[in-house]
Amino acid sequence: LPQKPLLEWSAEEVHSWVASLPQMPSEVAETLTHSNVTGADLFELTEAKLLTLGIERFGWRRRLLLAVSGLEAFARFQSSSPWSSALPADQALVQPEGVSAVEPGVANGWAECAQGRPTSPSRSDP
Protein backbone atom coordinates (compact mmCIF):
# COMPACT_ATOMS: atom_id res chain seq x y z
CA LEU A 1 0.00 0.00 0.00
CA PRO A 2 1.21 3.53 -0.68
CA GLN A 3 2.50 5.26 2.44
CA LYS A 4 0.07 8.18 2.30
CA PRO A 5 -3.59 8.76 3.15
CA LEU A 6 -5.89 6.62 1.02
CA LEU A 7 -7.96 9.59 -0.08
CA GLU A 8 -4.82 11.13 -1.58
CA TRP A 9 -3.83 8.15 -3.74
CA SER A 10 -3.24 9.09 -7.35
CA ALA A 11 -4.59 7.06 -10.26
CA GLU A 12 -1.12 5.51 -10.59
CA GLU A 13 -1.11 4.45 -6.92
CA VAL A 14 -4.58 2.93 -7.34
CA HIS A 15 -3.23 1.11 -10.40
CA SER A 16 -0.31 -0.30 -8.40
CA TRP A 17 -2.59 -1.45 -5.59
CA VAL A 18 -5.13 -3.08 -7.94
CA ALA A 19 -2.35 -4.73 -9.94
CA SER A 20 -1.00 -6.24 -6.71
CA LEU A 21 -4.30 -7.92 -5.81
CA PRO A 22 -4.34 -11.70 -6.15
CA GLN A 23 -6.22 -13.02 -9.17
CA MET A 24 -6.80 -9.52 -10.53
CA PRO A 25 -5.98 -9.21 -14.22
CA SER A 26 -3.97 -6.23 -15.40
CA GLU A 27 -6.92 -5.11 -17.56
CA VAL A 28 -8.81 -4.05 -14.42
CA ALA A 29 -5.94 -1.87 -13.17
CA GLU A 30 -5.50 -0.42 -16.65
CA THR A 31 -9.21 0.35 -16.96
CA LEU A 32 -9.21 2.21 -13.65
CA THR A 33 -6.10 4.16 -14.63
CA HIS A 34 -7.58 5.03 -18.04
CA SER A 35 -10.65 6.36 -16.20
CA ASN A 36 -8.40 8.28 -13.75
CA VAL A 37 -9.82 6.53 -10.68
CA THR A 38 -8.05 7.90 -7.59
CA GLY A 39 -8.08 6.80 -3.97
CA ALA A 40 -11.05 9.03 -3.21
CA ASP A 41 -12.93 7.47 -6.13
CA LEU A 42 -12.34 3.91 -4.92
CA PHE A 43 -14.91 4.28 -2.16
CA GLU A 44 -17.56 5.44 -4.64
CA LEU A 45 -17.24 2.38 -6.87
CA THR A 46 -20.33 0.21 -7.24
CA GLU A 47 -21.21 -2.79 -9.36
CA ALA A 48 -23.01 -0.51 -11.82
CA LYS A 49 -20.13 1.97 -12.03
CA LEU A 50 -17.65 -0.82 -12.70
CA LEU A 51 -19.90 -2.08 -15.50
CA THR A 52 -20.04 1.45 -16.92
CA LEU A 53 -16.24 1.56 -16.86
CA GLY A 54 -16.21 -1.63 -18.92
CA ILE A 55 -15.32 -4.21 -16.28
CA GLU A 56 -17.80 -6.81 -17.45
CA ARG A 57 -16.66 -9.96 -15.68
CA PHE A 58 -18.57 -10.54 -12.47
CA GLY A 59 -15.62 -12.16 -10.65
CA TRP A 60 -13.34 -9.22 -11.36
CA ARG A 61 -15.92 -6.72 -10.13
CA ARG A 62 -16.64 -8.79 -7.03
CA ARG A 63 -12.96 -9.22 -6.12
CA LEU A 64 -12.31 -5.53 -6.64
CA LEU A 65 -15.29 -4.44 -4.53
CA LEU A 66 -14.29 -6.87 -1.76
CA ALA A 67 -10.75 -5.51 -1.82
CA VAL A 68 -12.02 -1.91 -1.66
CA SER A 69 -14.27 -2.89 1.23
CA GLY A 70 -11.29 -4.39 3.04
CA LEU A 71 -9.24 -1.30 2.32
CA GLU A 72 -12.02 0.90 3.68
CA ALA A 73 -12.27 -1.23 6.83
CA PHE A 74 -8.50 -1.00 7.26
CA ALA A 75 -8.69 2.80 6.95
CA ARG A 76 -11.55 3.02 9.45
CA PHE A 77 -9.69 0.77 11.88
CA GLN A 78 -6.64 3.00 11.70
CA SER A 79 -8.61 6.21 12.10
CA SER A 80 -10.48 4.84 15.14
CA SER A 81 -7.38 3.37 16.71
CA PRO A 82 -6.30 5.00 20.00
CA TRP A 83 -2.87 5.43 18.42
CA SER A 84 -4.19 7.45 15.48
CA SER A 85 -4.81 10.52 17.62
CA ALA A 86 -1.09 10.60 18.38
CA LEU A 87 -0.28 10.90 14.68
CA PRO A 88 -0.14 14.16 12.75
CA ALA A 89 -3.30 14.71 10.69
CA ASP A 90 -1.41 14.17 7.43
CA GLN A 91 -0.52 10.63 8.52
CA ALA A 92 -4.05 9.45 9.32
CA LEU A 93 -5.31 6.46 7.30
CA VAL A 94 -1.82 5.30 6.40
CA GLN A 95 -0.69 1.70 6.71
CA PRO A 96 1.84 1.52 9.53
CA GLU A 97 5.36 0.68 8.47
CA GLY A 98 6.20 -2.97 8.87
CA VAL A 99 2.63 -4.23 8.48
CA SER A 100 2.44 -6.73 5.69
CA ALA A 101 0.20 -9.51 4.45
CA VAL A 102 2.53 -12.12 5.92
CA GLU A 103 2.69 -10.73 9.43
CA PRO A 104 0.80 -12.76 12.06
CA GLY A 105 -1.92 -11.40 14.30
CA VAL A 106 -4.49 -8.67 13.82
CA ALA A 107 -2.35 -6.73 11.36
CA ASN A 108 -2.40 -9.78 9.11
CA GLY A 109 -6.21 -9.83 9.00
CA TRP A 110 -6.43 -6.14 8.13
CA ALA A 111 -3.68 -6.43 5.55
CA GLU A 112 -5.44 -9.40 3.96
CA CYS A 113 -8.69 -7.44 3.78
CA ALA A 114 -6.85 -4.53 2.21
CA GLN A 115 -5.43 -6.93 -0.36
CA GLY A 116 -8.85 -8.31 -1.23
CA ARG A 117 -8.57 -11.51 0.80
CA PRO A 118 -11.02 -11.01 3.66
CA THR A 119 -10.46 -13.50 6.42
CA SER A 120 -13.20 -15.18 8.39
CA PRO A 121 -12.91 -16.67 11.83
CA SER A 122 -12.49 -20.41 12.04
CA ARG A 123 -15.47 -22.28 13.35
CA SER A 124 -16.37 -25.84 13.86
CA ASP A 125 -19.80 -27.10 13.02
CA PRO A 126 -21.54 -29.26 15.62
Side-chain angles (χ1 to χ4, degrees):
L1 297 174
Q3 295 296 312
K4 64 197 269 187
L6 301 174
L7 296 177
E8 294 177 15
W9 285 9
S10 67
E12 292 77 23
E13 289 165 321
V14 168
H15 179 278
S16 294
W17 174 70
V18 172
S20 75
L21 296 173
Q23 299 180 344
M24 187 63 64
S26 61
E27 297 99 306
V28 174
E30 291 166 14
T31 297
L32 296 178
T33 302
H34 178 73
S35 298
N36 199 36
V37 173
T38 64
D41 300 323
L42 281 176
F43 303 114
E44 300 296 322
L45 291 178
T46 63
E47 186 91 17
K49 287 178 183 178
L50 291 173
L51 276 168
T52 301
L53 292 174
I55 301 173
E56 296 183 9
R57 295 201 178 189
F58 171 77
W60 295 355
R61 292 191 314 270
R62 180 165 165 30
R63 284 191 290 274
L64 180 60
L65 291 174
L66 284 172
V68 169
S69 177
L71 193 60
E72 189 173 15
F74 179 76
R76 267 197 307 252
F77 170 76
Q78 279 205 307
S79 66
S80 67
S81 165
W83 298 283
S84 64
S85 61
L87 295 175
D90 66 338
Q91 291 183 12
L93 305 181
V94 177
Q95 179 181 6
E97 289 198 30
V99 173
S100 71
V102 296
E103 210 170 306
V106 174
N108 186 40
W110 287 110
E112 286 185 4
C113 285
Q115 293 179 1
R117 298 186 317 240
T119 58
S120 58
S122 299
R123 61 174 229 202
S124 56
D125 294 322

